[in-house]
Amino acid sequence: MENNININWYPGHMAKTRKQIIEDLKLVDIVVELLDARIPISSRNPDIENLTKNKKKIIVLNKCDLADSKENQKWVEYFNSQGVKAVLTDANSGHGIDKFLKEIENIMQEEQAKMASKGRVGRKIKAMILGIPNVGKSSFINRIAKKSTAIVGNKPGVTRQKQWIRINDKVELLDTPGVLWPKFESEEVSLHLAFSGTIKEDILDKVEIAYQLVRFLIYNYQELLCKRYGLTKEYIEGKLGQEFQPENSNIYEIMLDIGKKRGCIVAGGNIDEEKISKILLDEFKNGIIGKITLETR
């Protein structure tokens, strides 16, 4: 297997969205930056970070239910140390939503008091939510609005028109389409976005991405990998310790053995690479392998 991933994806609507965000920032008091708790750095658009640097901000680490709980807390502490309040949420269950709403009011408390002193009582806090595709933005908005206001798309990269959403008596939220940035800075970022399903699957080599995922799991979450796919530590050590064979061939063999265990067999007893690759990637994305964080502090 090759160890070189180069993904460069920037559809035309992304450039248009960026321009719209610059205009809409003038309308809001605070920016809600939605990140994937499994990849807080890779899911953070550096372009957006720059555009919003003069605005009050709160970071939402969504999909925290799919991430390693020990690492979740470390990321909250990291962002807090950077002077940005961070909140863990799971949009599907509603975990952390009440805390998020309370933190917005806390951040805006001083500003609201100033406006009240000038006679501007009852003005709603206007927030803008930003996030790259597939961080769960629509599900998050639906949860806090307690109704299906936003359209939930299954495919990453689906864009929509902006819309204001009334959250409660105090907060209104401006939704924006998910936006990626022109070039990913490293192979690691590209891989993390591919593992989490942010990049459209039809532009990826699934087998290569799945191989890289298995490699990561072997070195970071081996116990979860073994438990899910009926492997043993001794088996993996034996494979990796094979002489006269490079590491990538050994890991590829482990991946094929997982395929055999899952019945991904075609004519001639060969393993269906595409099928086992899809299974591995889907089971990671859906948290079936276990609670996994790809980026650690």
Side-chain angles (χ1 to χ4, degrees):
M1 301 293 293
E2 295 292 326
N3 285 321
N4 184 28
I5 307 292
N6 185 18
I7 300 168
N8 193 353
W9 180 55
Y10 196 61
H13 73 262
M14 297 291 183
K16 183 181 176 183
T17 298
R18 185 184 185 278
K19 288 179 183 176
Q20 190 62 54
I21 287 168
I22 293 170
E23 285 300 308
D24 291 342
L25 278 169
K26 300 168 188 173
L27 308 175
V28 302
D29 307 304
I30 185 169
V31 170
V32 179
E33 192 174 1
L34 199 67
L35 306 179
D36 185 327
R38 298 168 297 177
I39 49 170
I41 299 302
S42 294
S43 62
R44 194 173 199 196
N45 184 334
D47 207 9
I48 295 304
E49 193 179 350
N50 261 347
L51 294 176
T52 61
K53 61 186 176 185
N54 296 321
K55 284 284 180 183
K56 292 183 186 298
K57 184 182 292 184
I58 181 169
I59 283 177
V60 175
L61 295 165
N62 196 36
K63 303 190 179 183
C64 69
D65 58 309
L66 301 177
D68 188 327
S69 54
K70 299 190 297 293
E71 298 302 329
N72 281 343
Q73 201 48 49
K74 288 179 185 175
W75 279 111
V76 168
E77 290 164 6
Y78 165 75
F79 285 114
N80 288 347
S81 73
Q82 301 294 306
V84 183
K85 190 67 185 176
V87 179
L88 294 164
T89 66
D90 166 22
N92 291 327
S93 71
H95 171 79
I97 297 298
D98 288 341
K99 185 174 182 182
F100 159 73
L101 291 170
K102 186 178 178 183
E103 288 299 343
I104 278 195
E105 290 182 31
N106 288 343
I107 293 168
M108 291 300 300
Q109 193 171 22
E110 190 178 331
E111 200 69 29
Q112 292 287 90
K114 282 181 186 175
M115 285 190 281
S117 69
K118 296 175 182 176
R120 298 180 67 188
V121 181
R123 180 185 176 277
K124 285 187 173 63
I125 297 167
K126 293 190 180 296
M128 173 193 282
I129 186 163
L130 293 170
I132 68 172
N134 216 42
V135 291
K137 186 155 61 69
S138 295
S139 300
F140 177 80
I141 291 169
N142 290 343
R143 173 64 66 172
I144 58 177
K146 296 182 175 62
K147 57 186 177 181
S148 294
T149 308
I151 300 163
V152 179
N154 291 324
K155 291 187 178 179
V158 175
T159 184
R160 306 177 303 281
Q161 294 298 315
K162 68 174 180 177
Q163 54 183 326
W164 283 100
I165 299 146
R166 181 180 177 277
I167 301 305
N168 55 34
D169 291 338
K170 297 180 180 178
V171 183
E172 282 186 356
L173 192 65
L174 177 61
D175 183 21
T176 56
V179 59
L180 281 171
W181 56 104
K183 185 169 170 45
F184 305 139
E185 295 304 315
S186 69
E187 178 184 316
E188 186 178 47
V189 169
S190 299
L191 282 171
H192 291 170
L193 294 173
F195 293 160
S196 61
T198 296
I199 303 164
K200 287 183 179 179
E201 287 190 358
D202 56 9
I203 69 165
L204 303 175
D205 179 342
K206 280 194 195 70
V207 178
E208 174 65 30
I209 300 301
Y211 159 81
Q212 294 288 354
L213 176 62
V214 171
R215 183 180 188 280
F216 173 84
L217 294 174
I218 285 171
Y219 291 114
N220 296 278
Y221 287 92
Q222 191 174 125
E223 191 175 327
L224 292 179
L225 183 74
C226 288
K227 185 177 180 181
R228 177 62 190 165
Y229 299 109
L231 308 175
T232 65
K233 183 180 177 183
E234 292 72 27
Y235 159 80
I236 289 177
E237 285 177 352
K239 281 290 185 185
L240 295 182
Q242 287 178 2
E243 294 182 11
F244 313 116
Q245 191 163 299
E247 178 207 52
N248 54 6
S249 296
N250 297 333
I251 291 173
Y252 180 60
E253 281 186 14
I254 293 171
M255 180 174 148
L256 293 183
D257 282 346
I258 292 172
K260 188 176 181 181
K261 284 176 177 289
R262 293 301 296 267
C264 301
I265 301 169
V266 292
N270 294 318
I271 305 301
D272 187 335
E273 292 180 332
E274 288 283 328
K275 188 174 181 182
I276 188 54
S277 296
K278 187 174 190 316
I279 287 172
L280 284 161
L281 292 170
D282 285 348
E283 293 195 347
F284 168 76
K285 281 184 280 191
N286 294 318
I288 295 169
I289 298 173
K291 296 180 184 294
I292 295 164
T293 297
L294 299 172
E295 297 172 340
T296 58
R297 288 307 305 161

